[in-house]
């Protein structure tokens, strides 16, 4: 099992989720994806949409400023 | 691997659970043939190109005529006189430079249809005459190519998807073309311009679902649409063991032209 990092702090809806999804598709079941994203719309929607599409949200944590980390398990 | 530009272009597909990057790749790898670049073919060609279906064939021998423009939305006024397949190709490539369009400026016939359909995964019948509809059905059944049948007249349309050997084919329900005097002549055969938009879009949807391998195809069901009454109806079908082409003892074992089923218009030079 591996952990992949993805930075979508510079992206906007819907590219935030599009990039997350494309990355998740590349992973094996059980792999972990650590996403850096900004507060507001990305933080509200990306984990929610991941959950809706059957991925598991393990953790959401504040990193610094308006940047947060979301940990997803495939 | 998708480029940044492709990721953005297809973002609304990629977001869908049933599509994703993998489904989009299946569309890129897909090969669909559209027979007819008229009313039905117009939305089919535009939507398949927009969707990123990688290889699209389009067959039609006609040139664009002023009377086409009321419903054949892929052709524009300055295209009058141009081959329909050329006019269609220009719009498809303008919508999406990713797609490869192959044009066939010919009518399908028993002599050429086998070679044309051989290159494709899914065939769409967007023709306007019974001769072509029966020919396409027979050729697809014999070559085991899945295809979408579509037909429109006045305010009514119908469509069904055929998976040869698995679901009912066109001849399972209509073993022979209708008698010559029952085939509408041109003057009777008006069509409300929006009608092919509805039916063609359904046919394009079937091709896309087939390539994605998602959802349920319109097999063993004939979907009819009345624009005047704004009603869809679904008629359940099953394979006919006595079907002349896909039944237990088929009498049609090679394609043939149904010359009696050509309408008066087909026999005139366009
Ligand atoms: Zn049949």
């Amino acid at each position: 099992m591996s952990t992949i990092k993805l930075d979508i702090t510079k992206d906007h809806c819907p590219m935030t989720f599009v990039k997350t999804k494309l990355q998740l598709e590349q992973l094996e079941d059980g792999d972990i994806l650590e996403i850096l994203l900004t507060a507001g719309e990305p933080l509200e929607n990306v984990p929610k949409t991941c959950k809706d599409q059957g991925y598991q949200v393990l953790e959401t944590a504040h990193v610094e400023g308006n940047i947060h980390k979301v940990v997803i398990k495939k | 691997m998708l480029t940044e530009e492709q990721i953005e272009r297809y973002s609304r597909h990629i977001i869908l659970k049933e599509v994703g990057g993998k489904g989009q790749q299946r569309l890129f790898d897909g090969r669909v043939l559209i027979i007819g670049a008229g009313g039905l073919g117009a939305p089919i060609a535009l939507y398949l190109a927009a969707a990123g279906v990688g290889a699209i064939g389009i067959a039609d021998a006609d040139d664009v005529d002023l009377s086409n423009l009321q419903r054949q939305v892929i052709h524009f006024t300055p295209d009058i006189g141009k081959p329909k397949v050329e006019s269609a190709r220009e719009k498809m490539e303008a919508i999406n430079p990713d797609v490869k369009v192959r044009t066939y400026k010919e009518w399908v016939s028993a002599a050429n249809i086998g070679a044309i359909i051989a290159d494709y995964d899914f065939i769409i019948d967007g023709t306007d005459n019974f001769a072509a509809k029966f020919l396409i059905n027979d050729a697809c059944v014999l070559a085991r190519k899945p295809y979408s049948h579509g037909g429109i007249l006045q305010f009514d349309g119908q469509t069904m998807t055929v998976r040869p050997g698995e679901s009912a084919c066109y001849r399972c329900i209509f073993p022979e073309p209708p008698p010559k005097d029952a085939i509408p002549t041109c003057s009777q055969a008006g069509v409300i311009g929006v009608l092919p938009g509805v039916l063609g879009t359904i046919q394009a949807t079937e091709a896309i679902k087939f390539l994605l391998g998602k959802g349920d195809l319109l097999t063993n069901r004939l979907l009819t649409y009345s624009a005047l009454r704004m009603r869809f109806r679904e008629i359940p079908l099953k394979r006919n063991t006595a079907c002349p082409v896909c039944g237990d003892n088929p009498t049609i074992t090679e394609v043939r032209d149904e010359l009696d089923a050509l309408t008066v218009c087909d026999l005139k030079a366009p």
Side-chain angles (χ1 to χ4, degrees):
Chain A
M1 267 174 243
S2 53
T3 300
I4 303 290
K5 293 185 194 316
L6 176 70
D7 183 345
I8 52 169
T9 53
K10 299 210 165 32
D11 294 298
H12 301 281
C13 180
M15 294 308 283
T16 44
F17 179 69
V18 168
K19 289 189 175 175
T20 303
K21 166 125 190 216
L22 286 171
Q23 190 58 255
L24 283 165
E25 284 187 334
Q26 302 301 316
L27 304 183
E28 303 288 333
D29 283 350
D31 285 351
I32 303 291
L33 181 66
E34 273 187 28
I35 309 165
L36 288 179
L37 42 66
T38 54
E41 186 276 323
L43 181 60
E44 280 163 36
N45 290 330
V46 170
K48 195 168 134 256
T49 315
C50 287
K51 223 181 282 177
D52 289 346
Q53 299 210 357
Y55 301 102
Q56 204 181 331
V57 180
L58 297 180
E59 189 196 341
T60 306
H62 180 240
V63 178
E64 55 170 356
N66 72 336
I67 301 190
H68 295 253
K69 179 174 85 171
V70 174
V71 182
I72 312 272
K73 186 179 173 190
K74 183 168 179 182
Chain B
M1 203 53 208
L2 298 169
T3 64
E4 280 294 308
E5 196 192 307
Q6 287 174 325
I7 292 173
E8 191 167 348
R9 177 183 286 272
Y10 304 110
S11 56
R12 300 308 194 275
H13 270 170
I14 294 167
I15 291 167
L16 291 169
K17 193 174 178 204
E18 292 77 4
V19 185
K22 290 181 179 168
Q24 188 62 49
Q25 189 61 51
R26 295 184 73 141
L27 297 181
F28 287 147
D29 296 339
R31 305 181 60 84
V32 177
L33 174 70
I34 306 163
I35 304 180
L40 292 168
I44 296 167
L46 292 172
Y47 274 116
L48 293 185
V53 171
I56 305 173
I58 185 156
D60 199 311
D62 238 343
D63 295 330
V64 179
D65 183 88
L66 180 58
S67 67
N68 300 148
L69 303 185
Q70 153 264 20
R71 65 196 179 287
Q72 302 181 12
V73 295
I74 201 166
H75 308 304
F76 302 165
T77 303
D79 297 319
I80 291 169
K82 201 184 273 183
K84 282 186 178 178
V85 289
E86 277 311 311
S87 162
R89 184 163 62 94
E90 287 169 16
K91 313 315 185 314
M92 293 159 80
E93 289 175 349
I95 284 184
N96 192 346
D98 285 347
V99 306
K100 281 193 204 66
V101 180
R102 176 152 181 202
T103 59
Y104 303 85
K105 193 186 182 313
E106 52 196 319
W107 300 121
V108 290
S109 68
N112 65 12
I113 192 165
I116 297 177
I117 68 173
D119 278 343
Y120 296 91
D121 305 319
F122 191 90
I123 320 298
I124 303 182
D125 170 11
T127 65
D128 62 357
N129 66 83
F130 285 105
K133 294 194 181 305
F134 281 91
L135 177 72
I136 292 166
N137 182 75
D138 295 350
C140 289
V141 169
L142 293 171
R144 302 236 154 201
K145 297 276 185 185
Y147 91 97
S148 166
H149 155 84
I152 52 168
L153 193 67
Q154 297 173 350
F155 287 88
D156 297 301
Q158 63 176 35
T159 177
M160 69 185 277
T161 300
V162 176
R163 269 185 178 272
E166 292 172 41
S167 72
C169 85
Y170 190 54
R171 276 202 203 263
C172 286
I173 352 167
F174 307 107
E176 294 294 331
K180 221 172 176 179
D181 53 11
I183 297 176
T185 63
C186 298
S187 56
Q188 297 168 330
V191 59
I192 191 80
V194 288
L195 181 62
V198 176
L199 273 299
T201 305
I202 292 173
Q203 292 184 277
T205 311
E206 290 289 282
I208 286 171
K209 279 160 47 200
F210 173 81
L211 294 175
L212 291 173
K214 295 290 177 188
D216 302 314
L217 293 175
L218 186 59
T219 48
N220 287 326
R221 296 178 283 154
L222 181 72
L223 185 66
T224 67
Y225 170 63
S226 161
L228 264 191
R229 290 177 298 139
M230 197 44 74
R231 279 206 178 107
F232 282 96
R233 240 181 94 208
E234 202 178 289
I235 301 158
L237 307 172
K238 51 180 190 210
R239 271 181 77 195
N240 176 0
T241 53
C243 173
V245 66
C246 83
D248 294 341
N249 298 297
T251 52
I252 300 170
T253 53
E254 56 184 33
V255 287
R256 63 181 194 209
D257 292 313
E258 298 273 9
L259 291 174
D260 283 350
L262 289 169
T263 61
V264 180
C265 300
D266 299 319
L267 301 173
K268 290 193 308 208

